[in-house]
């Protein structure tokens, strides 16, 4: 998994947008679009700080970053929509379905079985949706 | 980082004990010892389920598992003693100080700046203690 | 925003009921009604302690109290129905839509972007519902 | 409420399965079934550790154990599906509807009114579903 | 464990004070005293609502109520001082040390091993302090 | 309470630094300094995003912003160091001690009595420290 590079002279917003598309794909763009009428500035912050600043840092590849995020969102247990976006993101940056399942299972140790169970059900939904979409493309 | 292998005929407790020592080192043994007078069975469960079952599974190496655990414990924000044990564990299984710092910083996005700050201060403490201990050994 | 006064000789329940109607409007009455068959005493406590005791205290106006509540419920991130009731309540006691949006956005700093995002989507829903209801009244 | 006994020579999995059926009934079996395609090992852990190890321990009867679990899941506030399973489980091991309602109401003191309210609404749903199922059986 | 009775004509405050002393003992009085200079009204609410209203309700004995509270505070994991008060309270209303240990261990299933570990360490501290105090009295 | 203005051509970092000093005073500078050796970039992000972006936005004055932050941090209950910084910040931007006490007391309704109690004890500590410092200055 190669890290996306920082281009010279690129603004945080431009860099963040590139990272967002690479990591979250369409799911990220949908979140940004859904903020347009209520809090467009927040969409900008969302692109700039998490994606333009944090995910664009060298020192940890995107695969490791998504392991961290999937683990944290599973353990927090109250942010199902964002967990699904990042299970999708994990697949986008090279994690396998089995690896994602391992990460979520491990959270039973730290945040309890209910958090892990709800994380696994979120993954099941994302995997099923992804399989369906892939089959459509093939057909 | 090679995964510790499962030896044939080894019990969950034996396998867990090997994993605990490898991952958490002395910190893990101290936790187990401190349970001896109040809940010795819980010490057994702690070795068997998290270490004998979960951390001993193939499919995700210990480096990835510690990324997940450090992220989750930082985001949860209410388990400082265990976070310190796992920052130490992260170093034990091959994460660098900078990588651990990256993981914790990233949690500002998902669990807020206070959780990330408190995670960084925990890391600072562990790193300082580790440097002091290493210098003692050298001296 | 003037504070609702405490009438002489009024019981906690009467005072709470007045505050509940003023702050939460129909949403508050619906919650109370929905408790009638399972825990009617809890409906009484809900009116008496939060509304009869806390919200009826002088020393902080209702506008400030709703800023506090919207912030806390957004940050907690696991009480969406109550957050929606209090976004509505914020509008009832004089907060503008933009002010509510600001409060929720700020929570990204303390509880992370997912909590703030889910808060904004809750606000979007409440605002849309309110606009629809207001248009009906006009039509 | 008599505790289910540990049979000689029974494995953790067998003992856990017996406890799961006794406590969670069909709801428990459904959870296990839903894990079959995504994380069958996790279903095994779920039966073995919580049910084969913890709930099978003497020293606290199942009635007390379900009081503890219903209280904790209500207070955590982010695990509604598991709370419903354990409200059902509470009824299975001999708690009355009124006792379950008391436990949930008490959580307002420790985790706030929203957590208690959402717990009561979960109980209302479980009670209604149970009444409907019982009527069907009678009819 | 007999429930403390409600005396005719007793105010919520009087009833709450009796319940507080019975359940929390000196620890409860210390909390109330520590609020005197910053928020005396809050001390009143604390006595009236949790103790005068909730713990004084029939329908669940104090033993069951403390099982619920110890479980919830352990699972929440961020309220160590109150958990210690209620481990003490559990002993006051008739729970044994072993029963309290069982309740806390069980929380590993729902809130993870760190929450259960920190709960056990809190119990260890309370038990040790209680043993020391009892020996002093005997000596 | 007038909002601090945005100067033309000022960078996010400069604007954030001005806001940080105004709001958090010395406490803010101490946090930044303590990050210098472990995560200096994080200190920059902390100044830029929360202070340069969020707190510098018009649309909500600093008094309202601190009401929101004190409420949220009290309700979250696991970030005592940051709560103390913001109780101090609340005083810096014009909230009275009584108003801060009201905000924290109100959180009993939403996050339970333990969270409110621990918030009040944090406030008591900050108020006492502030009184001591003010007396020193006078003497």
């Amino acid at each position: 998994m190669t890290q996306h590079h920082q281009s010279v002279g690129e603004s945080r917003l431009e860099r963040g947008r590139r990272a967002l598309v690479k990591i979250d794909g369409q799911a990220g763009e949908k979140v940004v679009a859904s903020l347009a009428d209520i809090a467009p500035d927040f969409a900008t912050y969302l692109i700039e700080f998490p994606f333009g600043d944090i995910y664009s840092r060298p020192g940890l590849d995107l695969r490791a970053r998504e392991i961290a995020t999937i683990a944290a969102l599973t353990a927090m247990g109250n942010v199902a929509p964002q967990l699904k976006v990042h299970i999708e993101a994990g697949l986008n940056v090279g994690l396998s379905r089995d690896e994602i399942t391992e990460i979520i299972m491990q959270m039973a140790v730290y945040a309890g079985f209910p958090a892990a169970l709800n994380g696994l059900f979120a993954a099941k939904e994302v995997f099923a949706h992804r399989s369906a979409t892939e089959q459509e493309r093939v057909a």
Side-chain angles (χ1 to χ4, degrees), chain A:
Chain A
M1 184 82 273
T2 65
Q3 189 80 8
H4 52 101
H5 305 287
Q6 300 191 15
S7 303
V8 180
E10 200 183 24
S11 72
R12 291 168 72 234
L13 188 60
E14 289 162 340
R15 189 169 66 229
R17 201 163 274 148
R18 271 202 307 129
L20 179 73
V21 168
K22 182 168 184 180
I23 298 166
D24 283 0
Q26 292 193 319
E29 290 177 47
K30 254 171 77 177
V31 169
V32 167
S34 69
L35 289 167
D37 57 346
I38 185 165
D41 290 0
F42 196 73
T44 304
Y45 297 144
L46 179 65
I47 297 169
E48 285 182 338
F49 174 60
F51 293 95
D53 287 344
I54 297 291
Y55 280 91
S56 295
R57 291 174 62 81
L60 201 66
D61 65 25
L62 291 178
R63 202 185 117 88
R65 291 199 182 277
E66 284 304 330
I67 292 172
T69 299
I70 291 168
L73 298 181
T74 301
M76 292 169 71
N78 60 352
V79 286
Q82 288 75 28
L83 175 58
K84 285 182 201 163
V85 167
H86 280 279
I87 289 170
E88 190 94 35
L91 297 170
N92 292 344
V93 302
L95 290 169
S96 72
R97 293 183 181 200
D98 283 353
E99 286 173 320
I100 290 170
T101 303
E102 284 296 323
I103 298 161
I104 297 175
M105 281 170 56
Q106 185 174 321
M107 291 304 107
V109 175
Y110 299 104
F113 278 76
L117 275 172
N118 294 331
L120 288 172
F121 296 143
K124 196 172 163 172
E125 218 179 287
V126 172
F127 296 166
H129 181 259
R130 191 124 166 164
S131 296
T133 317
E134 279 163 6
Q135 281 195 318
E136 269 175 42
R137 267 194 231 134
V138 174

